[in-house]
Amino acid sequence: MKYGKVFNYLIPFLLVCHFSCSQENIEFVETSPSKLLSRVGNNEPDKLVNNANTILRNYINLNGGWKSVKYDELDWSVDPYKNPSWKTYFFSLRMIAVLTKAYEEEADEKYLIKAKEILYSWNSNYKSESLLKKRKLVIWNDHAVANRVINLVHLYYTLKFANKLDRLTKQIITQHLIEYGEWLFDDRNYTGGNHAIMMDRALLYLSYILKNYELSSKWKKKALSRFDTLIRKEVSDEGVSLENSPQYHPFIMDLLKDFITLMKNFGDTPSQEYTGLLEKMKSYLVYVLKPNLIYPFQGDTYPISEKLLYSKRYPDSRLDFIESNGLRGTQPEHCDVVFKNAGYAILRDEWKKGNSFDTSTYINFIAGHFLRVHKHSDNLSFSLFSNKEDLIVDPGSWGYSKNDTVAYLKSTKAHNTFTVNETNYYNFPLRSSYINYSELEEDYSVIKGTFIPNPFERFDRTLIFIKPNIIILDDNVYSAKGIRSVSQMFNLGTKVESINEGKRGNSITAMFERNKLSIKQLLAHQYSLTKYNGENIRGLYALRAERTVKGNQIVFKTNLTDSIPRTFNNRTIIKIESFQKKNIDEIEISDTKENFKILWNNSKKPLKSLVIPKFRLDKDFFEENLRLSTEYSIRLNNKIDGFGLKKMYVLKWSENEYSLIFKLDENVTKESLRKYTIGLRGSVDDTDKPMLSTYSRQKGRNYELWNVKENEIVQTNHGNYISININTRIKQFQSFKIFLFDRPGYKRELAKYEIDNFFLDQNEKIAKETENSTTILDRAILAKDFTINRIYAKRISNKEIKFYFKLDGNITNEIIKKYKIGFHTYVYEKDKEKLLKYSKKKNRNYDTWDFEPYIYHNDKEKYVIKVINTPITDFEKIKIFLYDRAGYKRTIGNIVEIRETIIK
């Protein structure tokens, strides 16, 4: 140990008094080692001590998958792997955690001396301008700060228990913990996902550790309040982590368990809701593990080869059952489970026992997107395991860097799903993928999932599992963009021994060590078959963190350039053949106009049949989305040759999720579109600043900013469009600016259009507008199944009136699709000249505004909205009635008249 070096580290500390008298008097709570949190385990003590010894020899060793980095003097700006995870671990003071844990194993003071040396170096450097200029966003990020707290608390108590805690070290640790506590408490730094839970865990921990600090009680209150809100978003009511990765499910369980344990250890009683949720979360672990006790590698899940054993960590008799190959514990209640609110279906043919336990067939189907964190473009994909082998696999995760490999492994093309026009889908809305139907029986299961990536396209997949060895996929897609090609991908892993192509290019047979897998297309399309083996990225799989392996991907592609339809249907049969005696050998599929029928049998059961309704989209999907959107006319202040915007539509998908759809001038071409970027800037007042994104809050902005860099014009029957999906908690912007600038980079605004008091959320707009509207009717029963509870009217311009029909809560989309609403406005003699041209031509004293109603939801209330274009303010009467949507034959139900109405 070079004490001169340590003194150098202390010079900045000695020159500047960092500590107030009040901080000198802060007491750490009396506790025991068993109650402390630790970010480094000692499951492998020899490896732990070896890592600590390399740190003693001046190597940066983070106890992870990276090689150690040699140094002479510790440089905190070093970035040897250009990897965000490495930097986060480095700045969490992971080396201090390794040394502290090694001291607990060896009781050798050298580990504590080195830990203090690193602490003093950190204290001298962490605020330096040169370091902050390079690394501020990593030093002060949620993960690093939260884990620094745990690692420094652990160091403090280890020094104290060893009687090695000097006054100066205590002061440094105390100062840092207070600074980190203030940062964690500040909502401007609060993010989301498991990192936000880590922040709350660290803040709660500090509130217990610094028992007499003046802000501890506020820290505790804030940590518990935020965590209570966040855990409901992070975990579905079924007990499934919504972070899109089986790997993160037990991590979220650990965080929840830490909250429960911390509260118990420091004298508080945790909520029964937390303990109940932890019990629920065990169920997903039971079902998601494949028969070989390894989870599927979906989302940001690193591939592993070791069996996962959770029963000691989370005692449960069902975990005992699967870990003992069914010889102990309790058999899980179901073979098939659907976690609908998480978007997973997990199917098995049966729970076997003993040596045959891992011969079961297992399917993991994905149709869910409830959080963005760790999500890949894997909607409607699935993985398949049978007879001790992975047959269709997820490609897994390489890590969190930005490179071509990571981009590919996250892409649509890397997953066992289907796509149109070779498209990889990114930034799709939350809740855009979901399971909409399931039927789970002893000898078959049916799962239907939907994926809507944008306002123009919709994908639907029905997966039928005929147990134990037949899978049928029925795929449907609608695209307003026009379908030039459809591609269907299958990843066959790394263990496949041979792949043989059928004569027509519509089938393959893959040979594995214990299975033969056949995939055949059943409909009369023209297919081309392509095999990828990872040579040029495609077909590449993650091997482990930051390592890849060449695999095997099969792509069936149908080219439709001659017709370019807007809808397409494909059907595929997948058959597993192995030594198992219960295999189904023959299956028969027949079609009618409305359904397709499946017939099969096996040696033990009579002939079985299953009828599957064919998927149908009744209407133009994009047109339907336009009807559900809020429309804004756009008038740019400058005319740009070859580029113009006519309208903007705001379509709400779910809470905080929107598509902004722009209708382009007819003269806009792809070439002119590529010249410009559309900028969107929504400004808020001070009351809404806490609702801004973390990035905007940290930048001190009072606005959100989005850029639309679209290269493809969507040509539809309704005009030419582009769109962007955005996420924001802001419902109403003080002002909203749409502006154009050159695509190469922002230099100046070429044109702009601003909207004051812009409502992004139609629900919020309805609520505000109905508050300031005139009630013209309290209740009207138009038909037995159609009651209007109230009608509001509001003049929104000199020539426009908006009507809000507040519906009875029992009215559904199915009911409303049956009817058209007849809507006639009768005028006095003095206003006949203001009637529509058609009305005057027919010599009527009324205008007709009949329309097809669509439901808009406002929280728990339902509305139909109609805007009419008239300058008339005084109406002799307004007549409202229903008739059949297919066309007027007669009035259905009652005619309601509203007399002598004034709308100014």
Side-chain angles (χ1 to χ4, degrees):
M1 171 79 184
K2 296 180 180 179
Y3 289 96
K5 184 184 292 186
V6 174
F7 183 79
N8 288 337
Y9 289 149
L10 292 176
I11 289 175
F13 175 81
L14 297 173
L15 290 175
V16 181
C17 181
H18 289 279
F19 310 110
S20 68
C21 294
S22 61
Q23 290 167 349
E24 284 275 1
N25 296 325
I26 291 173
E27 295 180 19
F28 284 65
V29 71
E30 294 295 330
T31 188
S32 61
S34 64
K35 294 183 178 181
L36 297 175
L37 297 178
S38 175
R39 295 306 306 140
V40 173
N42 58 353
N43 296 333
E44 300 179 83
D46 291 343
K47 181 178 179 182
L48 170 70
V49 171
N50 181 62
N51 288 335
N53 288 337
T54 63
I55 296 172
L56 294 179
R57 298 195 300 271
N58 284 357
Y59 281 88
I60 300 173
N61 185 311
L62 303 181
N63 196 41
W66 300 283
K67 288 184 179 180
S68 300
V69 178
K70 179 68 175 174
Y71 66 89
D72 293 322
E73 184 169 339
L74 190 53
D75 178 4
W76 290 97
S77 67
V78 69
D79 185 13
Y81 296 106
K82 311 298 179 186
N83 183 285
S85 295
W86 189 92
K87 291 194 284 284
T88 295
Y89 276 58
F90 185 45
F91 290 124
S92 71
L93 304 184
R94 179 83 164 192
M95 287 194 293
I96 288 178
V98 173
L99 292 163
T100 307
K101 206 70 177 177
Y103 176 81
E104 292 179 356
E105 286 293 321
E106 299 286 301
D108 192 327
E109 186 182 359
K110 63 185 180 183
Y111 297 118
L112 297 183
I113 292 172
K114 188 66 175 181
K116 291 203 296 184
E117 178 188 319
I118 293 171
L119 173 65
Y120 298 155
S121 172
W122 172 248
N123 182 61
S124 297
N125 287 280
Y126 82 111
K127 284 189 174 181
S128 73
E129 288 185 12
S130 60
L131 180 62
L132 290 175
K133 187 176 181 179
K134 293 181 180 179
R135 302 283 181 261
K136 182 177 180 180
L137 293 179
V138 191
I139 292 171
W140 292 102
N141 78 18
D142 44 19
H143 190 160
V145 175
N147 281 355
R148 276 207 300 275
V149 166
I150 293 172
N151 293 335
L152 289 185
V153 169
H154 193 191
L155 175 62
Y156 173 90
Y157 280 103
T158 303
L159 289 167
K160 182 179 180 182
F161 296 149
N163 292 317
K164 304 295 181 183
L165 181 66
D166 57 84
R167 178 174 174 271
L168 184 57
T169 302
K170 178 182 177 180
Q171 287 179 329
I172 293 174
I173 292 174
T174 303
Q175 169 64 20
H176 279 260
L177 291 180
I178 289 172
E179 188 173 0
Y180 302 155
E182 290 171 351
W183 190 90
L184 294 167
F185 180 82
D186 190 338
D187 285 338
R188 288 176 299 178
N189 304 316
Y190 197 62
T191 51
N194 66 75
H195 288 195
I197 300 179
M198 291 164 66
M199 292 176 70
D200 290 331
R201 175 182 62 178
L203 191 61
L204 180 66
Y205 193 34
L206 276 179
S207 76
Y208 289 131
I209 294 299
L210 303 179
K211 64 176 185 177
N212 71 333
Y213 182 54
E214 58 189 354
L215 297 179
S216 288
S217 60
K218 288 185 177 180
W219 288 357
K220 178 180 174 181
K221 184 178 179 181
K222 173 70 72 70
L224 291 174
S225 173
R226 291 193 310 204
F227 173 73
D228 190 68
T229 299
L230 186 58
I231 197 66
R232 300 169 198 271
K233 297 178 180 178
E234 280 287 308
V235 182
S236 75
D237 55 7
E238 306 143 321
V240 182
S241 164
L242 298 177
E243 293 213 351
N244 304 297
S245 162
Q247 174 181 305
Y248 279 89
H249 182 87
F251 181 58
I252 299 296
M253 290 179 73
D254 290 345
L255 289 170
L256 175 57
K257 186 178 180 182
D258 280 351
F259 263 82
I260 294 169
T261 303
L262 277 175
M263 295 179 76
K264 287 180 178 178
N265 284 346
F266 292 98
D268 285 330
T269 303
S271 163
Q272 288 185 354
E273 185 178 350
Y274 297 164
T275 54
L277 186 59
L278 189 61
E279 287 300 311
K280 276 186 179 181
M281 293 183 78
K282 295 177 183 178
S283 289
Y284 178 70
L285 279 184
V286 169
Y287 288 105
V288 76
L289 292 175
K290 296 180 293 185
N292 63 354
L293 300 188
I294 295 174
Y295 39 50
F297 304 143
Q298 74 189 55
D300 282 338
T301 298
Y302 290 131
I304 58 170
S305 56
E306 302 82 13
K307 290 185 176 182
L308 294 164
L309 306 176
Y310 291 109
S311 61
K312 289 184 179 179
R313 199 155 120 206
Y314 296 106
D316 188 288
S317 62
R318 297 168 301 168
L319 290 171
D320 291 334
F321 178 87
I322 64 175
E323 291 176 11
S324 67
N325 289 347
L327 301 179
R328 297 192 310 272
T330 304
Q331 179 174 310
E333 183 179 358
H334 307 289
C335 287
D336 303 330
V337 288
V338 175
F339 298 103
K340 188 172 183 179
N341 295 334
Y344 302 134
I346 302 171
L347 313 176
R348 272 181 177 80
D349 60 334
E350 61 178 315
W351 290 103
K352 297 180 180 179
K353 296 182 179 180
N355 292 334
S356 65
F357 183 84
D358 59 355
T359 65
S360 296
T361 300
Y362 164 103
I363 299 168
N364 183 64
F365 179 76
I366 304 168
H369 183 218
F370 299 91
L371 293 176
R372 282 193 167 78
V373 61
H374 304 303
K375 178 68 175 174
H376 288 193
S377 187
D378 55 7
N379 301 292
L380 308 185
S381 72
F382 71 102
S383 53
L384 173 65
F385 177 99
S386 187
N387 193 27
K388 300 180 183 288
E389 292 183 304
D390 286 303
L391 304 179
I392 297 176
V393 303
D394 193 291
S397 174
W398 186 92
Y400 303 107
S401 295
K402 293 183 178 180
N403 57 46
D404 290 343
T405 299
V406 171
Y408 168 71
L409 291 173
K410 289 186 173 185
S411 72
T412 310
K413 292 181 184 178
H415 291 88
N416 305 305
T417 184
F418 61 110
T419 187
V420 297
N421 306 334
E422 296 284 339
T423 305
N424 281 318
Y425 291 99
Y426 301 101
N427 194 34
F428 34 85
L430 292 178
R431 301 182 183 273
S432 58
S433 184
Y434 50 89
I435 292 173
N436 53 54
Y437 177 82
S438 61
E439 184 178 345
L440 310 177
E441 300 292 342
E442 182 183 359
D443 48 3
Y444 73 86
S445 298
V446 180
I447 306 295
K448 295 183 180 181
T450 296
F451 173 47
I452 304 173
N454 54 56
F456 310 109
E457 294 172 307
R458 171 177 172 144
F459 295 82
D460 288 86
R461 168 168 276 183
T462 301
L463 184 148
I464 304 148
F465 179 28
I466 309 295
K467 300 180 182 183
N469 66 313
I470 302 289
I471 300 164
I472 298 168
L473 303 175
D474 190 61
D475 294 341
N476 290 272
V477 60
Y478 166 91
S479 177
K481 299 178 179 182
I483 301 171
R484 296 181 295 278
S485 69
V486 179
S487 301
Q488 187 189 50
M489 291 75 69
F490 297 97
N491 291 295
L492 303 182
T494 59
K495 304 296 185 183
V496 62
E497 296 174 348
S498 65
I499 302 172
N500 298 312
E501 181 180 343
K503 292 182 180 179
R504 298 181 180 178
N506 67 342
S507 65
I508 62 105
T509 301
M511 300 302 298
F512 294 80
E513 181 182 354
R514 302 172 63 88
N515 294 280
K516 180 169 81 171
L517 182 73
S518 59
I519 303 174
K520 184 178 181 180
Q521 306 297 342
L522 297 178
L523 301 183
H525 303 304
Q526 293 297 315
Y527 297 93
S528 62
L529 177 62
T530 308
K531 303 174 187 177
Y532 296 96
N533 61 8
E535 286 292 339
N536 295 305
I537 289 189
R538 193 141 187 201
L540 207 64
Y541 304 146
L543 179 63
R544 59 183 184 274
E546 302 188 7
R547 300 289 186 275
T548 56
V549 62
K550 292 178 181 179
N552 297 278
Q553 187 185 67
I554 299 298
V555 179
F556 292 96
K557 184 176 180 181
T558 304
N559 288 305
L560 303 159
T561 51
D562 292 339
S563 55
I564 311 183
R566 297 193 184 274
T567 61
F568 184 81
N569 171 230
N570 192 60
R571 195 176 306 148
T572 310
I573 185 167
I574 301 170
K575 186 176 181 181
I576 307 164
E577 295 179 68
S578 65
F579 63 80
Q580 297 182 61
K581 295 179 180 178
K582 293 182 182 179
N583 283 349
I584 295 166
D585 296 321
E586 298 297 331
I587 194 161
E588 192 176 305
I589 301 176
S590 57
D591 277 89
T592 67
K593 185 177 180 181
E594 300 296 328
N595 308 295
F596 65 92
K597 186 176 183 180
I598 306 168
L599 294 171
W600 76 95
N601 62 11
N602 59 38
S603 57
K604 291 189 176 181
K605 294 182 180 179
L607 188 69
K608 300 284 294 186
S609 67
L610 179 61
V611 176
I612 305 294
K614 290 185 176 178
F615 179 79
R616 292 281 186 270
L617 271 177
D618 296 332
K619 284 211 164 192
D620 182 322
F621 177 68
F622 178 57
E623 180 185 17
E624 195 87 357
N625 283 332
L626 285 183
R627 287 182 181 274
L628 294 172
S629 303
T630 307
E631 179 183 324
Y632 295 88
S633 295
I634 299 175
R635 298 176 184 85
L636 294 173
N637 64 336
N638 290 328
K639 190 173 182 179
I640 306 295
D641 288 339
F643 193 90
L645 301 174
K646 297 174 75 172
K647 292 181 180 181
M648 180 178 73
Y649 299 84
V650 180
L651 175 64
K652 181 177 180 179
W653 294 105
S654 60
E655 192 66 20
N656 306 334
E657 294 289 322
Y658 307 88
S659 282
L660 304 186
I661 307 165
F662 295 92
K663 187 172 185 179
L664 306 174
D665 281 346
E666 290 77 6
N667 62 340
V668 178
T669 64
K670 288 184 179 180
E671 289 69 29
S672 62
L673 180 64
R674 291 187 180 119
K675 292 181 181 178
Y676 305 106
T677 296
I678 302 173
L680 307 170
R681 176 170 171 160
S683 301
V684 301
D685 58 24
D686 289 343
T687 57
D688 279 337
K689 277 187 179 181
M691 306 294 283
L692 291 168
S693 64
T694 304
Y695 184 79
S696 292
R697 296 197 310 270
Q698 289 179 339
K699 288 290 186 180
R701 294 175 173 173
N702 69 332
Y703 59 88
E704 298 284 19
L705 186 65
W706 300 275
N707 292 331
V708 188
K709 295 181 179 180
E710 187 55 75
N711 291 319
E712 182 181 11
I713 296 174
V714 182
Q715 297 177 325
T716 76
N717 298 330
H718 317 286
N720 297 337
Y721 296 85
I722 60 174
S723 77
I724 180 177
N725 296 329
I726 67 170
N727 171 276
T728 179
R729 293 186 293 167
I730 307 297
K731 310 298 181 187
Q732 178 186 3
F733 289 99
Q734 197 173 38
S735 67
F736 193 81
K737 182 166 69 172
I738 303 163
F739 57 97
L740 295 182
F741 59 93
D742 288 321
R743 178 69 65 91
Y746 181 84
K747 296 177 182 177
R748 60 190 176 91
E749 293 176 3
L750 303 174
K752 68 178 180 179
Y753 177 69
E754 293 192 59
I755 307 170
D756 292 330
N757 295 319
F758 174 72
F759 286 91
L760 187 61
D761 192 321
Q762 176 77 356
N763 294 343
E764 198 81 9
K765 187 175 185 181
I766 290 172
K768 291 283 178 68
E769 288 186 348
T770 52
E771 275 181 20
N772 302 312
S773 300
T774 302
T775 301
I776 62 172
L777 182 71
D778 272 333
R779 186 173 173 82
I781 300 173
L782 297 182
K784 288 182 179 180
D785 58 356
F786 202 111
T787 298
I788 298 173
N789 288 337
R790 185 166 295 176
I791 300 178
Y792 304 91
K794 179 183 177 69
R795 180 165 290 284
I796 56 177
S797 73
N798 291 335
K799 295 182 179 180
E800 291 179 307
I801 301 174
K802 183 179 281 191
F803 292 87
Y804 298 91
F805 300 80
K806 185 177 178 182
L807 305 178
D808 183 83
N810 294 322
I811 296 179
T812 63
N813 284 319
E814 287 68 31
I815 292 172
I816 212 161
K817 284 179 180 178
K818 297 191 300 184
Y819 301 114
K820 267 193 172 181
I821 293 180
F823 191 56
H824 300 173
T825 53
Y826 291 77
V827 303
Y828 295 102
E829 188 69 27
K830 64 183 177 69
D831 285 325
K832 278 189 175 182
E833 281 303 311
K834 297 178 183 178
L835 287 168
L836 299 174
K837 290 181 180 179
Y838 184 79
S839 299
K840 290 189 284 188
K841 182 179 177 181
K842 290 290 185 178
N843 198 28
R844 293 175 176 172
N845 66 336
Y846 64 91
D847 285 326
T848 300
W849 313 96
D850 298 3
F851 65 100
E852 295 181 355
Y854 290 85
I855 294 178
Y856 294 87
H857 293 269
N858 177 26
D859 297 328
K860 295 180 181 180
E861 297 172 345
K862 300 175 182 179
Y863 289 86
V864 166
I865 299 173
K866 177 64 179 175
V867 176
I868 66 172
N869 299 303
T870 180
I872 299 169
T873 58
D874 297 357
F875 298 97
E876 183 180 13
K877 66 179 177 181
I878 298 173
K879 186 185 291 187
I880 304 168
F881 54 92
L882 300 176
Y883 58 92
D884 192 281
R885 187 168 285 210
Y888 184 82
K889 296 176 183 176
R890 59 183 176 81
T891 300
I892 299 173
N894 304 314
I895 298 174
V896 173
E897 291 188 0
I898 308 168
R899 293 190 171 274
E900 297 180 353
T901 301
I902 300 174
I903 305 170
K904 292 185 177 179

